[in-house]
């Protein structure tokens, strides 16, 4: 089916769903496929449940005139979302990176919302399905969009950028993550750089670059750049310096040639200053007043187990259990090591999707933990079980929960960090 004809139908039925159990009346169901499911099998159920049309790519599923047959349902889903995005002549900020992209997205949206009506990615819906869903949420009242883009394989960012068509963008950083999919750190750099590759084809585009990062600066070659970074970064439009992390980050920032502003954040970790500066840089570029930038940064409260500080009746928890990779793990351990609090305990879970580098990277983390000198360390997961180190090891989070029931730590500052698959996010309620 021609995309223009599909969009004409969408305009009469401007709601889409990919779940046959959630079918708003008059919506369009897209029969997407995954490793363990085929949405074509549920097209009839979606129509019976209230959908006006079902987009399918299996001729056998086209049971009546309400079934719209396409070559590839996912591709049609993405192209329809792009067609909808093209109806909006507004700035679209594309955000990717190994670490910090979700936090940077939320901070950027909060800053821009001080002046504009902002539409942004919800949660971390940043993949080949989540990005189109974000675009379908664009409405005439929106003045700017902030779209997060994630990747686990080469070509992912290129495809997402071609769908969202950002007018400007930022790569928060590049690190050692998803090595199983990317093959190497160089593969990570090339894939994240696909955002800048797309923007090179768009006249008038610009990128926001951490000028203190040589890799990112090199990637942005040939593009109009707006730089930010730590104090003294050459050519920075925004620069910052950490005041303290005791344990929440407090920092100062200023626009080029301006006075310093002090911001008390609700975030753990000096590494989060780069995310704050990125949001400030983007906000200033779009004309947000400096006082409003400060108010937005100070008002942001993290969620989803990202750099959160929780005080229970027994311990003080630093919860960063949404995800983990070697780069983010090293930053979290260094920050916790430097925090002027005692006593300290670390509950560290496996890092996923590292492929052949997994054993080396987990051994490296174990060595970093030994050098940190924390009072107690618990390691969780099969990869850490293979390391040679003196720390207490647990097969999974259930074993940890059993130990907490037997002998719960009391009075500690506890860092909880691991990949989502380790389920360490279940521990705060027990500690």
């Amino acid at each position: 089916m021609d995309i223009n004809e599909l969009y004409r139908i969408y305009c009469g039925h401007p709601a889409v769903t990919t779940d046959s159990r959630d079918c708003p009346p008059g919506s369009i169901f897209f029969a997407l496929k995954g490793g363990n499911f085929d949405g074509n099998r549920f097209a009839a159920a979606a129509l019976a449940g209230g959908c006006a049309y079902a987009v399918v790519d299996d001729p056998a599923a086209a049971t009546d005139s309400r079934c719209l047959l396409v070559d590839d349902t996912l591709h049609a889903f993405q192209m329809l979302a792009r067609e909808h995005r093209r109806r909006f002549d507004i700035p679209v900020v594309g955000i990717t990176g190994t670490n910090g992209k979700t936090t940077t997205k939320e901070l950027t949206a909060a800053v821009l919302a001080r002046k504009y009506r902002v539409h942004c990615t919800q949660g971390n819906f940043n993949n080949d399905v989540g990005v189109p869903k974000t675009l379908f949420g664009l409405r005439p009242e929106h003045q700017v969009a902030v779209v997060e883009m994630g990747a686990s394989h080469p070509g992912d960012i290129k495809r997402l950028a071609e769908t969202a068509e950002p007018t400007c963008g930022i790569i928060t950083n590049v690190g050692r993550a998803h090595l199983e999919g990317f093959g190497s750190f160089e593969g990570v750099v090339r894939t994240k750089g696909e955002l800048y590759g797309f923007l090179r084809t768009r006249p008038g585009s610009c990128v926001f670059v951490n000028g203190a990062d040589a890799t990112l600066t090199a990637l942005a070659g040939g593009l109009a750049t707006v730089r930010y970074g730590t104090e003294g970064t050459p050519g920075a439009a925004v620069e910052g310096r950490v005041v303290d992390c005791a344990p929440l980050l407090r920092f100062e920032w200023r626009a080029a040639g301006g006075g310093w502003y002090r911001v008390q954040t609700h975030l753990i970790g000096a590494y989060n200053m780069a995310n704050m500066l990125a949001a400030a840089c983007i906000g200033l570029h779009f004309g947000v007043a400096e006082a409003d930038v400060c108010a937005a940064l100070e008002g942001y409260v993290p969620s989803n187990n990202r750099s959160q500080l929780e005080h229970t009746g027994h311990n003080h928890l630093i919860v960063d259990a949404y995800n983990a990779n070697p780069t983010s793990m090293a930053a979290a351990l260094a920050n916790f090591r430097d925090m002027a609090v005692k006593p300290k305990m670390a509950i560290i879970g496996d890092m996923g999707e590292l492929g052949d580098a997994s054993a080396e990277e987990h051994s490296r983390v174990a060595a970093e933990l030994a050098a940190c000198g924390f009072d107690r360390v618990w390691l969780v997961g099969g990869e850490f079980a293979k390391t040679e180190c003196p720390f207490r090891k647990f097969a999974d989070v259930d074993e940890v929960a059993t130990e907490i029931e037997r002998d719960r730590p009391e009075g500690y500052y506890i860092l909880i960090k691991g990949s989502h698959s380790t389920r360490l996010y279940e521990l705060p309620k027990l500690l």
Side-chain angles (χ1 to χ4, degrees), residues 252-265:
E252 293 179 332
W253 72 277
R254 67 177 178 183
W260 289 96
Y261 293 89
R262 180 166 292 194
V263 174
Q264 175 62 65
T265 80

Side-chain angles (χ1 to χ4, degrees), residues 345 347 376 378-380 392-409 422-424 426-431:
M345 178 178 183
I347 303 177
R376 296 176 75 175
W378 289 357
L379 300 178
V380 186
R392 182 82 182 271
K393 298 175 182 177
F394 299 83
D396 52 37
V397 73
D398 297 318
E399 282 193 7
V400 178
T402 299
E403 177 62 16
I404 292 173
E405 288 180 7
R406 188 188 71 81
D407 183 19
R408 179 172 51 201
T422 62
R423 297 163 39 218
L424 296 191
E426 298 178 8
L427 297 181
K429 64 180 182 290
L430 306 177
L431 291 164

Side-chain angles (χ1 to χ4, degrees), residues 95 97-98 100-106 120-134 146-151 160 178 300 303-304 306 321-323 353 420:
I95 298 180
T98 301
K101 56 185 173 291
T102 299
T103 299
T104 301
K105 175 262 299 181
E106 293 182 353
C120 71
T121 302
Q122 297 302 301
N124 69 325
F125 293 164
N126 59 20
N127 62 10
D128 53 2
V129 176
V131 168
K133 285 184 175 180
T134 296
V146 183
V147 181
E148 180 182 337
M149 303 176 188
L160 295 178
H178 299 294
Y300 173 72
S303 59
N304 289 330
R306 298 175 188 273
Y322 185 83
N323 216 340
E353 300 181 52
H420 197 262

Side-chain angles (χ1 to χ4, degrees), residues 246-248 268 308-319 339 341 412-414 428 431:
L248 296 175
I268 291 289
Q308 293 174 233
L309 177 65
E310 298 182 17
H311 300 287
T312 71
H314 307 277
N315 299 285
H316 311 281
L317 310 181
I318 299 166
V319 186
M339 284 173 52
V341 295
Y412 283 88
Y413 281 83
I414 305 177
L431 291 164

Side-chain angles (χ1 to χ4, degrees), residues 241-245 248-252 262-265:
R241 59 193 182 195
V242 172
V243 175
D244 59 52
C245 294
L248 296 175
L249 168 65
R250 180 164 49 176
F251 75 102
E252 293 179 332
R262 180 166 292 194
V263 174
Q264 175 62 65
T265 80

